[in-house]
Amino acid sequence: MSDVVHEAPRGGPDDAVVARLSRLDRFLPVWILLAMALGLLLGRVWPQLVESLDSFTVGSVSVPIAIGLLVMMYPVLAKVRYSETARVTGDRRLLGASLALNWIVGPALMFALAWLLVPDLPEYRTGLIIVGLARCIAMVLIWNDLACGDREAAAVLVAINSVFQVFAFAALGWFYLQTLPGWLGLETTSAEFSLWAITASVLVFLGIPLLAGFLTRVIGERVKGREWYEETFLPRLGPWALYGLLFTIVLLFALQGEAITSNPLDVVRIAIPLLAYFAITFALGMVLGRQLRLGYAKSATLAFTAAGNNFELAIAVAIGTFGITSGQALAGVVGPLIEVPVLVGLVYVALWARKFFPSAQGAST
Protein backbone atom coordinates (compact mmCIF):
# COMPACT_ATOMS: atom_id res chain seq x y z
CA MET A 1 0.00 0.00 0.00
CA SER A 2 0.99 3.55 0.19
CA ASP A 3 1.87 4.39 3.76
CA VAL A 4 -1.49 2.70 4.13
CA VAL A 5 -3.16 4.24 7.14
CA HIS A 6 -2.00 7.36 8.89
CA GLU A 7 -0.81 6.25 12.30
CA ALA A 8 -1.26 9.64 13.91
CA PRO A 9 -3.22 11.46 14.89
CA ARG A 10 -5.75 8.86 15.90
CA GLY A 11 -9.10 10.47 15.37
CA GLY A 12 -11.99 10.27 17.70
CA PRO A 13 -14.98 8.09 17.02
CA ASP A 14 -16.80 10.91 15.24
CA ASP A 15 -14.04 11.51 12.70
CA ALA A 16 -14.71 10.47 9.11
CA VAL A 17 -13.25 7.06 8.37
CA VAL A 18 -12.05 8.17 4.96
CA ALA A 19 -9.95 10.93 6.55
CA ARG A 20 -7.84 8.31 8.28
CA LEU A 21 -6.66 6.87 4.97
CA SER A 22 -3.91 8.25 2.77
CA ARG A 23 -4.96 9.86 -0.50
CA LEU A 24 -3.91 6.81 -2.51
CA ASP A 25 -5.74 4.35 -0.23
CA ARG A 26 -8.82 6.56 -0.05
CA PHE A 27 -9.67 5.52 -3.60
CA LEU A 28 -8.67 1.88 -3.16
CA PRO A 29 -12.15 0.54 -4.08
CA VAL A 30 -11.97 2.50 -7.35
CA TRP A 31 -8.56 1.08 -8.26
CA ILE A 32 -9.73 -2.44 -7.40
CA LEU A 33 -12.90 -2.17 -9.49
CA LEU A 34 -10.87 -0.84 -12.42
CA ALA A 35 -8.41 -3.73 -12.06
CA MET A 36 -11.29 -6.21 -12.02
CA ALA A 37 -12.82 -4.63 -15.12
CA LEU A 38 -9.48 -4.68 -16.93
CA GLY A 39 -8.90 -8.33 -16.05
CA LEU A 40 -12.38 -9.33 -17.18
CA LEU A 41 -11.94 -7.39 -20.43
CA LEU A 42 -8.58 -9.00 -21.14
CA GLY A 43 -9.96 -12.47 -20.47
CA ARG A 44 -12.91 -11.79 -22.74
CA VAL A 45 -11.16 -10.24 -25.75
CA TRP A 46 -7.83 -12.07 -25.43
CA PRO A 47 -8.59 -15.73 -24.61
CA GLN A 48 -5.05 -16.73 -25.61
CA LEU A 49 -3.92 -14.96 -22.47
CA VAL A 50 -5.43 -17.73 -20.35
CA GLU A 51 -3.34 -20.37 -22.08
CA SER A 52 -0.22 -18.23 -21.81
CA LEU A 53 -0.69 -17.61 -18.09
CA ASP A 54 -1.56 -21.23 -17.41
CA SER A 55 1.58 -22.45 -19.16
CA PHE A 56 3.91 -20.07 -17.29
CA THR A 57 4.20 -22.14 -14.13
CA VAL A 58 6.83 -23.74 -11.96
CA GLY A 59 5.33 -26.95 -10.64
CA SER A 60 1.82 -25.95 -9.54
CA VAL A 61 2.71 -22.29 -8.93
CA SER A 62 1.67 -19.66 -11.47
CA VAL A 63 4.72 -17.45 -11.94
CA PRO A 64 2.83 -14.23 -12.92
CA ILE A 65 0.45 -14.54 -9.97
CA ALA A 66 3.33 -15.40 -7.64
CA ILE A 67 5.17 -12.23 -8.75
CA GLY A 68 2.11 -10.09 -8.06
CA LEU A 69 1.58 -11.62 -4.63
CA LEU A 70 5.24 -11.25 -3.69
CA VAL A 71 5.20 -7.58 -4.66
CA MET A 72 1.94 -7.13 -2.75
CA MET A 73 3.01 -8.81 0.48
CA TYR A 74 6.64 -7.74 0.81
CA PRO A 75 6.02 -4.08 1.82
CA VAL A 76 3.43 -5.10 4.41
CA LEU A 77 5.71 -7.75 5.93
CA ALA A 78 8.61 -5.29 5.93
CA LYS A 79 6.51 -3.11 8.29
CA VAL A 80 6.16 -5.79 10.95
CA ARG A 81 8.16 -5.30 14.14
CA TYR A 82 9.29 -8.89 14.48
CA SER A 83 10.84 -8.25 17.88
CA GLU A 84 7.29 -8.01 19.25
CA THR A 85 6.05 -11.41 18.05
CA ALA A 86 6.62 -12.96 21.48
CA ARG A 87 3.92 -10.63 22.78
CA VAL A 88 1.49 -12.11 20.25
CA THR A 89 2.29 -15.77 20.79
CA GLY A 90 1.91 -15.25 24.51
CA ASP A 91 -1.71 -14.15 24.10
CA ARG A 92 -3.53 -17.47 24.40
CA ARG A 93 -6.95 -15.86 24.06
CA LEU A 94 -6.07 -14.43 20.64
CA LEU A 95 -4.42 -17.63 19.40
CA GLY A 96 -7.23 -19.85 20.65
CA ALA A 97 -9.94 -17.64 19.16
CA SER A 98 -8.11 -17.45 15.82
CA LEU A 99 -7.61 -21.20 15.57
CA ALA A 100 -11.26 -21.84 16.42
CA LEU A 101 -12.61 -19.33 13.90
CA ASN A 102 -10.24 -20.35 11.11
CA TRP A 103 -10.21 -24.12 11.39
CA ILE A 104 -13.53 -25.03 13.02
CA VAL A 105 -16.08 -22.28 12.43
CA GLY A 106 -14.95 -21.08 8.98
CA PRO A 107 -14.92 -24.40 7.09
CA ALA A 108 -18.12 -25.60 8.80
CA LEU A 109 -19.90 -22.34 8.00
CA MET A 110 -18.92 -22.46 4.31
CA PHE A 111 -19.98 -26.11 4.10
CA ALA A 112 -23.40 -25.20 5.51
CA LEU A 113 -23.83 -22.16 3.28
CA ALA A 114 -22.78 -24.06 0.16
CA TRP A 115 -25.29 -26.84 0.78
CA LEU A 116 -28.07 -24.45 1.79
CA LEU A 117 -27.68 -21.95 -1.07
CA VAL A 118 -26.34 -23.96 -4.04
CA PRO A 119 -27.52 -27.56 -3.38
CA ASP A 120 -28.38 -28.04 -7.07
CA LEU A 121 -24.95 -26.95 -8.41
CA PRO A 122 -22.42 -29.57 -7.27
CA GLU A 123 -19.40 -28.06 -9.05
CA TYR A 124 -19.92 -24.62 -7.54
CA ARG A 125 -20.76 -26.15 -4.17
CA THR A 126 -17.48 -28.07 -4.16
CA GLY A 127 -15.57 -24.96 -5.24
CA LEU A 128 -17.08 -22.95 -2.39
CA ILE A 129 -16.17 -25.62 0.15
CA ILE A 130 -12.58 -25.57 -1.13
CA VAL A 131 -12.52 -21.77 -0.74
CA GLY A 132 -13.72 -22.19 2.85
CA LEU A 133 -10.87 -24.59 3.60
CA ALA A 134 -8.17 -22.27 2.23
CA ARG A 135 -7.45 -19.91 5.12
CA CYS A 136 -6.04 -16.51 4.27
CA ILE A 137 -2.25 -16.08 4.13
CA ALA A 138 -1.98 -13.11 1.78
CA MET A 139 -4.40 -10.22 1.37
CA VAL A 140 -5.44 -10.26 5.01
CA LEU A 141 -2.23 -8.35 5.74
CA ILE A 142 -3.46 -5.57 3.47
CA TRP A 143 -6.93 -5.33 5.01
CA ASN A 144 -5.54 -5.58 8.53
CA ASP A 145 -3.09 -2.76 7.85
CA LEU A 146 -5.79 -0.51 6.40
CA ALA A 147 -8.00 -1.15 9.42
CA CYS A 148 -5.22 -0.24 11.88
CA GLY A 149 -5.05 -3.81 13.13
CA ASP A 150 -2.11 -5.31 14.98
CA ARG A 151 0.57 -5.96 12.32
CA GLU A 152 2.65 -8.28 14.48
CA ALA A 153 -0.42 -10.29 15.48
CA ALA A 154 -1.49 -10.55 11.83
CA ALA A 155 1.93 -11.81 10.76
CA VAL A 156 1.98 -14.46 13.49
CA LEU A 157 -1.59 -15.62 12.83
CA VAL A 158 -0.87 -15.79 9.09
CA ALA A 159 2.20 -17.92 9.81
CA ILE A 160 0.15 -20.25 12.02
CA ASN A 161 -2.52 -20.53 9.33
CA SER A 162 0.19 -21.41 6.84
CA VAL A 163 1.51 -24.25 8.99
CA PHE A 164 -1.99 -25.58 9.59
CA GLN A 165 -2.73 -25.27 5.89
CA VAL A 166 0.12 -27.57 4.96
CA PHE A 167 -0.97 -30.30 7.34
CA ALA A 168 -4.74 -29.82 7.54
CA PHE A 169 -5.99 -28.83 4.07
CA ALA A 170 -6.04 -32.31 2.52
CA ALA A 171 -7.55 -33.91 5.64
CA LEU A 172 -10.26 -31.25 5.90
CA GLY A 173 -10.98 -31.54 2.18
CA TRP A 174 -11.53 -35.27 2.59
CA PHE A 175 -13.72 -34.67 5.66
CA TYR A 176 -15.98 -31.96 4.13
CA LEU A 177 -16.21 -33.46 0.64
CA GLN A 178 -16.41 -37.15 1.54
CA THR A 179 -16.96 -38.02 5.18
CA LEU A 180 -19.39 -35.39 6.48
CA PRO A 181 -21.70 -35.49 3.43
CA GLY A 182 -21.76 -39.29 3.75
CA TRP A 183 -22.76 -39.05 7.40
CA LEU A 184 -25.54 -36.62 6.50
CA GLY A 185 -26.77 -38.68 3.53
CA LEU A 186 -25.65 -36.04 1.01
CA GLU A 187 -23.81 -36.38 -2.28
CA THR A 188 -20.05 -36.85 -1.86
CA THR A 189 -17.22 -35.44 -3.97
CA SER A 190 -14.01 -37.28 -4.72
CA ALA A 191 -10.85 -35.17 -4.96
CA GLU A 192 -7.15 -35.83 -4.79
CA PHE A 193 -5.26 -33.06 -3.00
CA SER A 194 -1.54 -32.72 -3.57
CA LEU A 195 0.31 -32.10 -0.32
CA TRP A 196 3.33 -30.86 -2.28
CA ALA A 197 1.21 -28.37 -4.26
CA ILE A 198 -0.18 -26.94 -1.01
CA THR A 199 3.28 -26.80 0.58
CA ALA A 200 4.75 -25.09 -2.49
CA SER A 201 1.94 -22.52 -2.53
CA VAL A 202 2.50 -21.65 1.13
CA LEU A 203 6.28 -21.44 0.73
CA VAL A 204 6.07 -19.20 -2.33
CA PHE A 205 3.17 -16.94 -1.37
CA LEU A 206 4.16 -16.45 2.26
CA GLY A 207 7.66 -17.81 2.93
CA ILE A 208 9.56 -15.71 0.42
CA PRO A 209 8.03 -12.30 1.27
CA LEU A 210 8.13 -13.12 5.00
CA LEU A 211 11.86 -13.83 4.87
CA ALA A 212 12.47 -10.77 2.70
CA GLY A 213 10.47 -8.53 5.03
CA PHE A 214 12.24 -9.84 8.12
CA LEU A 215 15.72 -9.39 6.62
CA THR A 216 14.84 -5.93 5.31
CA ARG A 217 13.80 -4.71 8.77
CA VAL A 218 16.75 -6.30 10.58
CA ILE A 219 19.34 -4.98 8.13
CA GLY A 220 17.63 -1.60 7.66
CA GLU A 221 17.38 -0.88 11.37
CA ARG A 222 20.91 -2.11 12.00
CA VAL A 223 22.42 0.06 9.26
CA LYS A 224 20.22 3.18 9.40
CA GLY A 225 18.23 2.94 12.61
CA ARG A 226 14.51 2.50 13.30
CA GLU A 227 13.62 6.16 12.82
CA TRP A 228 14.99 6.23 9.25
CA TYR A 229 13.53 2.82 8.49
CA GLU A 230 9.97 3.66 9.57
CA GLU A 231 9.80 7.33 8.60
CA THR A 232 11.81 7.36 5.37
CA PHE A 233 12.14 3.87 3.91
CA LEU A 234 8.68 2.41 4.58
CA PRO A 235 6.71 5.33 3.06
CA ARG A 236 8.69 4.86 -0.16
CA LEU A 237 8.20 1.11 -0.16
CA GLY A 238 4.51 1.18 0.80
CA PRO A 239 2.85 1.97 -2.56
CA TRP A 240 4.29 -1.20 -4.10
CA ALA A 241 1.82 -3.27 -2.08
CA LEU A 242 -1.04 -1.58 -3.92
CA TYR A 243 0.67 -2.08 -7.28
CA GLY A 244 1.13 -5.77 -6.54
CA LEU A 245 -2.47 -6.11 -5.38
CA LEU A 246 -3.87 -4.52 -8.55
CA PHE A 247 -1.57 -6.55 -10.80
CA THR A 248 -2.66 -9.77 -9.09
CA ILE A 249 -6.35 -8.90 -9.42
CA VAL A 250 -5.97 -8.17 -13.14
CA LEU A 251 -4.34 -11.57 -13.70
CA LEU A 252 -6.86 -13.53 -11.64
CA PHE A 253 -9.86 -12.03 -13.37
CA ALA A 254 -8.27 -12.39 -16.80
CA LEU A 255 -7.98 -16.13 -16.18
CA GLN A 256 -11.75 -16.61 -16.16
CA GLY A 257 -13.02 -13.40 -17.72
CA GLU A 258 -14.97 -15.26 -20.40
CA ALA A 259 -16.57 -17.65 -17.91
CA ILE A 260 -17.58 -14.83 -15.56
CA THR A 261 -19.05 -12.56 -18.24
CA SER A 262 -20.78 -15.46 -20.02
CA ASN A 263 -22.49 -16.78 -16.86
CA PRO A 264 -23.57 -13.75 -14.80
CA LEU A 265 -26.40 -15.63 -13.05
CA ASP A 266 -24.00 -18.37 -11.99
CA VAL A 267 -21.71 -15.70 -10.57
CA VAL A 268 -24.63 -14.32 -8.55
CA ARG A 269 -25.43 -17.79 -7.21
CA ILE A 270 -21.81 -18.24 -6.12
CA ALA A 271 -21.64 -14.71 -4.70
CA ILE A 272 -24.55 -15.09 -2.27
CA PRO A 273 -22.94 -17.69 0.05
CA LEU A 274 -19.62 -15.85 -0.19
CA LEU A 275 -21.21 -12.58 0.91
CA ALA A 276 -22.89 -14.32 3.84
CA TYR A 277 -19.64 -16.04 4.78
CA PHE A 278 -17.52 -12.87 4.83
CA ALA A 279 -20.10 -10.90 6.80
CA ILE A 280 -20.75 -13.62 9.39
CA THR A 281 -17.12 -14.54 10.05
CA PHE A 282 -16.04 -10.89 10.27
CA ALA A 283 -18.85 -10.10 12.72
CA LEU A 284 -18.00 -13.16 14.81
CA GLY A 285 -14.36 -12.10 14.96
CA MET A 286 -15.13 -8.56 16.09
CA VAL A 287 -17.73 -9.65 18.65
CA LEU A 288 -15.52 -12.44 20.01
CA GLY A 289 -12.54 -10.09 20.26
CA ARG A 290 -14.62 -7.60 22.22
CA GLN A 291 -15.98 -10.30 24.52
CA LEU A 292 -12.43 -11.52 25.19
CA ARG A 293 -11.31 -7.91 25.80
CA LEU A 294 -8.56 -8.13 23.22
CA GLY A 295 -8.82 -4.45 22.35
CA TYR A 296 -9.63 -2.99 18.97
CA ALA A 297 -6.35 -3.72 17.15
CA LYS A 298 -6.26 -7.44 17.96
CA SER A 299 -10.02 -7.80 17.47
CA ALA A 300 -9.74 -6.32 13.98
CA THR A 301 -6.86 -8.68 13.22
CA LEU A 302 -8.88 -11.63 14.52
CA ALA A 303 -11.88 -10.63 12.37
CA PHE A 304 -9.94 -10.13 9.14
CA THR A 305 -7.85 -13.30 9.50
CA ALA A 306 -11.11 -15.21 9.99
CA ALA A 307 -13.00 -13.55 7.13
CA GLY A 308 -10.27 -13.66 4.49
CA ASN A 309 -9.48 -16.70 2.37
CA ASN A 310 -6.43 -17.92 0.48
CA PHE A 311 -8.09 -17.69 -2.92
CA GLU A 312 -4.85 -18.31 -4.80
CA LEU A 313 -4.52 -21.69 -3.08
CA ALA A 314 -8.22 -22.48 -3.62
CA ILE A 315 -7.88 -21.65 -7.32
CA ALA A 316 -4.69 -23.69 -7.64
CA VAL A 317 -6.29 -26.73 -5.98
CA ALA A 318 -9.50 -26.40 -8.04
CA ILE A 319 -7.62 -26.06 -11.32
CA GLY A 320 -5.18 -28.85 -10.49
CA THR A 321 -7.96 -31.22 -9.43
CA PHE A 322 -10.88 -30.34 -11.70
CA GLY A 323 -9.38 -28.28 -14.57
CA ILE A 324 -9.06 -24.60 -15.44
CA THR A 325 -12.50 -24.39 -17.08
CA SER A 326 -14.33 -26.28 -14.32
CA GLY A 327 -17.13 -24.90 -12.18
CA GLN A 328 -14.96 -25.48 -9.13
CA ALA A 329 -12.28 -23.19 -10.59
CA LEU A 330 -14.92 -20.57 -11.45
CA ALA A 331 -16.11 -20.58 -7.84
CA GLY A 332 -12.53 -19.99 -6.75
CA VAL A 333 -12.12 -17.03 -9.10
CA VAL A 334 -15.43 -15.50 -8.01
CA GLY A 335 -14.01 -15.59 -4.46
CA PRO A 336 -11.77 -12.52 -4.86
CA LEU A 337 -14.40 -10.87 -7.09
CA ILE A 338 -16.59 -10.77 -3.98
CA GLU A 339 -13.94 -10.79 -1.26
CA VAL A 340 -11.92 -7.79 -2.39
CA PRO A 341 -14.68 -5.13 -2.46
CA VAL A 342 -16.47 -6.64 0.56
CA LEU A 343 -13.36 -6.65 2.76
CA VAL A 344 -12.47 -3.14 1.61
CA GLY A 345 -15.93 -2.16 2.85
CA LEU A 346 -15.34 -4.05 6.09
CA VAL A 347 -12.20 -1.98 6.64
CA TYR A 348 -14.48 1.05 6.93
CA VAL A 349 -16.87 -0.91 9.17
CA ALA A 350 -13.99 -1.93 11.44
CA LEU A 351 -12.69 1.62 11.77
CA TRP A 352 -16.19 2.84 12.55
CA ALA A 353 -16.59 0.06 15.15
CA ARG A 354 -13.55 1.28 17.12
CA LYS A 355 -15.83 3.41 19.24
CA PHE A 356 -17.42 0.25 20.68
CA PHE A 357 -14.11 -0.93 22.14
CA PRO A 358 -13.05 0.34 25.58
CA SER A 359 -9.54 1.16 24.37
CA ALA A 360 -10.61 2.93 21.18
CA GLN A 361 -9.22 6.25 22.34
CA GLY A 362 -5.45 6.21 22.01
CA ALA A 363 -5.19 2.43 21.78
CA SER A 364 -2.04 0.96 20.45
CA THR A 365 -2.47 -0.59 17.04
Side-chain angles (χ1 to χ4, degrees):
M1 289 293 145
S2 57
D3 204 20
V4 185
V5 180
H6 294 304
E7 298 287 343
R10 298 286 185 184
D14 295 328
D15 292 346
V17 167
V18 69
R20 302 176 191 174
L21 303 177
S22 68
R23 181 175 298 177
L24 184 61
D25 294 319
R26 196 172 301 171
F27 297 99
L28 180 61
V30 176
W31 312 139
I32 289 174
L33 290 174
L34 290 175
M36 290 177 178
L38 177 60
L40 291 173
L41 180 63
L42 287 174
R44 185 70 175 180
V45 304
W46 192 8
Q48 298 89 344
L49 179 65
V50 175
E51 296 181 7
S52 300
L53 291 174
D54 190 40
S55 63
F56 194 17
T57 61
V58 175
S60 61
V61 177
S62 169
V63 174
I65 291 178
I67 291 172
L69 289 168
L70 293 177
V71 173
M72 178 187 78
M73 294 180 65
Y74 167 61
V76 180
L77 288 167
K79 293 180 179 181
V80 175
R81 293 180 177 177
Y82 293 93
S83 59
E84 298 183 18
T85 55
R87 169 182 61 85
V88 179
T89 56
D91 192 333
R92 295 184 179 180
R93 294 175 303 166
L94 176 62
L95 288 178
S98 179
L99 290 174
L101 286 175
N102 275 284
W103 297 102
I104 299 176
V105 176
L109 175 62
M110 187 66 89
F111 175 87
L113 291 171
W115 273 101
L116 285 172
L117 299 176
V118 287
D120 56 326
L121 300 171
E123 289 191 359
Y124 298 154
R125 185 182 66 233
T126 298
L128 286 167
I129 292 172
I130 292 174
V131 169
L133 298 178
R135 311 314 301 165
C136 194
I137 65 170
M139 285 189 180
V140 66
L141 298 172
I142 301 291
W143 316 134
N144 179 74
D145 217 27
L146 283 170
C148 295
D150 189 314
R151 289 175 185 158
E152 288 69 37
V156 172
L157 295 181
V158 160
I160 291 173
N161 277 345
S162 301
V163 174
F164 266 76
Q165 207 132 234
V166 172
F167 295 102
F169 189 96
L172 286 173
W174 172 78
F175 177 76
Y176 281 104
L177 296 177
Q178 283 278 306
T179 305
L180 185 57
W183 289 348
L184 299 176
L186 302 173
E187 180 183 357
T188 61
T189 301
S190 177
E192 296 292 333
F193 294 104
S194 169
L195 182 61
W196 166 245
I198 296 170
T199 304
S201 176
V202 171
L203 290 175
V204 170
F205 297 137
L206 177 67
I208 293 175
L210 182 61
L211 178 62
F214 172 76
L215 292 176
T216 300
R217 176 170 280 278
V218 170
I219 295 172
E221 288 189 355
R222 185 170 299 172
V223 174
K224 290 282 193 175
R226 174 168 288 189
E227 182 177 354
W228 173 88
Y229 183 83
E230 295 192 344
E231 296 182 9
T232 302
F233 177 73
L234 288 182
R236 295 176 182 174
L237 180 66
W240 284 94
L242 175 58
Y243 305 151
L245 172 63
L246 298 178
F247 176 76
T248 303
I249 290 172
V250 170
L251 291 181
L252 286 171
F253 285 92
L255 282 171
Q256 288 220 21
E258 183 176 0
I260 292 174
T261 55
S262 299
N263 303 283
L265 292 180
D266 287 355
V267 172
V268 173
R269 290 290 304 276
I270 296 169
I272 292 173
L274 285 169
L275 282 169
Y277 173 84
F278 295 136
I280 293 171
T281 51
F282 177 83
L284 286 174
M286 292 295 285
V287 171
L288 182 58
R290 190 178 188 282
Q291 291 299 314
L292 293 175
R293 299 185 179 183
L294 297 178
Y296 169 77
K298 288 184 178 180
S299 296
T301 298
L302 177 64
F304 280 106
T305 51
N309 288 87
N310 185 359
F311 61 82
E312 64 272 11
L313 175 60
I315 292 169
V317 170
I319 290 175
T321 306
F322 303 101
I324 193 170
T325 59
S326 65
Q328 291 89 343
L330 177 60
V333 172
V334 173
L337 174 68
I338 305 303
E339 178 180 15
V340 171
V342 168
L343 291 189
V344 168
L346 290 177
V347 168
Y348 289 81
V349 173
L351 290 171
W352 167 80
R354 293 176 73 179
K355 61 186 178 182
F356 297 108
F357 287 80
S359 58
Q361 296 288 344
S364 173
T365 60

